[in-house]
Amino acid sequence: MRTVSVKASRSYEVKIGRDLLKTVGAEAASLLKGRTAAIVSDSNVAPLYLEQTKASLESAGFRTCSFVFPAGEGSKNGQTYLNLLEFLAEHQITRSDTLVALGGGVVGDLTGFAAATFLRGVAFIQIPTTLLAAVDASVGGKTAIDLKNGKNLAGAFYQPRLVLCDLDTLSTLPSDVFADGCAEVIKYGMIGDPGLLDLLETTDFRADPEEIVARCIAQKRDLVEEDEFDTGARQLLNLGHTIGHGIEACSGYGLSHGKAVAIGMTLITRAAVAFGQCPPEALPRLQSLLKRYDLPDTTGYGAEELYEKTLSDKKRTGSTISLVVPTAWGKSELQKVAVSDLYHWIEKGLNL
C-alpha cells in the first residue's frame, strides 16, 4: 500500500492498495466522532461493493444508511442533489457524522457537494471505484453538479477526510470505463511528466496500476497544495477539458468524460502545433498513445457547436478564457485567450 498526504485547507491521506474496502470502518472510526455513515453510490457500483462497505462500517460501530441513484452523468443534477439532501435530513445525519462516496467521479462530485452544503458542512470519505476517480476526481476537493447550460457549474471546494483507493475495484470495470481513466493518466504526463509518458508508451500498467495511480495522485497533490482554489497552477489539470466539456455537452453527455478529454487533448495539441507553439512530432505521438489505451482522437461536431458549448466553461473570466496549451512532449502552459479567439483555436484543432 502507498500513502500520499495532502496538505490543503484540511489535510488528509490518500491510501492506494489492495483489499482496502474492509478497512473503511476502522479508518472512519479513527477520524470521526459520529457513528452514523450515509453511503452514497450508484446503480452500477452498489450491487458490487455496497454490502462489503456497510459490513466494514457496521463492524466498527457505525449505523449506516444508503442512497443509491441511477448511474451516469445524467444523474449529476439538481434534482438528485436535492433528493440526497432530503435523504440526509430524513435519516437525521448530524455534523459529527459522515458521508461515504462509493463510486466513480459522478458519485464523488455529487456526494462531496452534498457534504459541503448539508448543515453547512459534514465530513465525507471518498472511495473511488474507477481509475478516473482514483487518479483525479477523488482528490483535491472539487465538488459539483451539472446545470442545463454546462458541466460542473454549481459546486464548492470541499476537501474529504480520507480517500481510499482500493485497486481491487478496478478489476470489475468494463474496458471502456478503464480507458476513461487512462485519458486522465495521459493528461498528467502531458502537463508536466514526460517520464510518465515514456513509461506509458513502453509498459502496459493495466494489470498493476498502483505505481501509476500513486504517481498521478502525487502530481495532483503538488498542484492542489500550491493552488487549492484553482486560480493559477492547478488549472493545468484542465488540459483537454475546456474543449472536452464542450464535446460532452454537444453529445448530451452521452460521450464519457475520459473520451471527451482525450479528444480535447488532441484538438488543443493540433491547434498548438498549427500556431507554432508545440513541436509537430508531439501530435502523432499523443495520438499513438491514445490509441494504445483505446481512446478516440476525433469528433464529428463542428466548430460552431463546440464554440457555443465551450463558452459556458468555468475557466472563462469576462472576455478571456484560460487554455492549457501543450508546448512540448510532457510540458504544458496556461494561456489567457480572448473569447473571440477561442473559435479559431477550435477550428485549428479540427484541422479546418
Side-chain angles (χ1 to χ4, degrees), residues 297-338:
D297 62 3
T298 61
T299 179
Y301 299 113
E304 286 283 356
E305 50 191 335
L306 286 176
Y307 176 69
E308 180 183 346
K309 294 297 185 182
T310 303
L311 289 181
S312 294
D313 195 272
K314 301 179 300 303
K315 293 168 285 299
R316 179 181 174 186
T317 305
S319 60
T320 64
I321 192 165
S322 294
L323 287 183
V324 187
V325 179
T327 57
W329 184 243
K331 182 181 179 183
S332 298
E333 296 178 359
L334 283 167
Q335 291 189 22
K336 288 286 187 183
V337 174

Side-chain angles (χ1 to χ4, degrees), residues 187-242:
K187 175 200 75 176
Y188 281 104
M190 287 294 292
I191 64 176
D193 191 347
L196 174 59
L197 294 175
D198 295 344
L199 189 62
L200 294 174
E201 287 180 318
T202 57
T203 305
D204 192 332
F205 74 96
R206 282 173 273 205
D208 186 14
E210 182 174 313
E211 178 184 350
I212 295 295
V213 170
R215 185 166 179 161
C216 292
I217 290 172
Q219 187 178 355
K220 183 165 189 180
R221 180 269 317 277
D222 293 344
L223 289 168
V224 168
E225 290 183 352
E226 179 180 350
D227 175 31
E228 180 175 357
F229 299 107
D230 206 24
T231 60
R234 182 174 178 170
Q235 292 182 16
L236 287 167
L237 294 166
N238 293 321
L239 175 64
H241 285 60
T242 298

Side-chain angles (χ1 to χ4, degrees), residues 54-316:
K54 285 177 61 177
S56 177
L57 287 161
E58 290 171 359
S59 68
F62 284 85
R63 175 179 72 90
T64 66
C65 53
S66 307
F67 180 89
V68 179
F69 62 87
E73 187 76 28
S75 290
K76 201 175 83 173
N77 57 37
Q79 189 57 62
T80 309
Y81 164 72
L82 290 175
N83 290 345
L84 175 53
L85 295 185
E86 293 290 358
F87 174 88
L88 299 175
E90 178 184 347
H91 285 81
Q92 300 180 340
I93 300 301
T94 73
R95 294 184 74 181
S96 64
D97 295 322
T98 188
L99 278 58
V100 177
L102 176 67
V106 169
V107 172
D109 282 357
L110 177 70
T111 306
F113 189 38
T117 51
F118 185 71
L119 301 179
R120 298 190 178 92
V122 297
F124 83 112
I125 293 169
Q126 290 269 24
I127 306 179
T129 61
T130 66
L131 177 62
L132 189 152
V135 300
D136 193 68
S138 65
V139 179
K142 279 188 176 181
T143 72
I145 57 173
D146 302 336
L147 302 182
K148 290 180 180 178
N149 284 308
K151 186 178 172 74
N152 297 332
L153 293 183
F157 290 96
Y158 193 69
Q159 302 292 344
R161 295 295 179 90
L162 172 71
V163 182
L164 286 178
C165 296
D166 188 335
L167 299 176
D168 290 331
T169 64
L170 304 185
S171 65
T172 56
L173 290 178
S175 58
D176 66 318
V177 177
F178 192 91
D180 286 334
C182 293
E184 294 286 354
V185 172
I186 293 168
K187 175 200 75 176
Y188 281 104
M190 287 294 292
I191 64 176
D193 191 347
L196 174 59
L197 294 175
D198 295 344
L199 189 62
L200 294 174
E201 287 180 318
T202 57
T203 305
D204 192 332
F205 74 96
R206 282 173 273 205
D208 186 14
E210 182 174 313
E211 178 184 350
I212 295 295
V213 170
R215 185 166 179 161
C216 292
I217 290 172
Q219 187 178 355
K220 183 165 189 180
R221 180 269 317 277
D222 293 344
L223 289 168
V224 168
E225 290 183 352
E226 179 180 350
D227 175 31
E228 180 175 357
F229 299 107
D230 206 24
T231 60
R234 182 174 178 170
Q235 292 182 16
L236 287 167
L237 294 166
N238 293 321
L239 175 64
H241 285 60
T242 298
I243 299 175
H245 284 168
I247 294 168
E248 281 185 90
C250 284
S251 75
Y253 299 104
L255 183 70
S256 67
H257 177 70
K259 293 176 181 60
V261 167
I263 298 168
M265 282 193 291
T266 306
L267 266 59
I268 198 67
T269 302
R270 182 180 289 116
V273 170
F275 286 125
Q277 299 189 31
C278 184
E281 60 270 19
L283 178 60
R285 197 171 175 185
L286 171 62
Q287 290 174 302
S288 177
L289 191 55
L290 293 173
K291 183 178 180 180
R292 177 181 173 87
Y293 290 96
D294 303 316
L295 289 161
D297 62 3
T298 61
T299 179
Y301 299 113
E304 286 283 356
E305 50 191 335
L306 286 176
Y307 176 69
E308 180 183 346
K309 294 297 185 182
T310 303
L311 289 181
S312 294
D313 195 272
K314 301 179 300 303
K315 293 168 285 299
R316 179 181 174 186

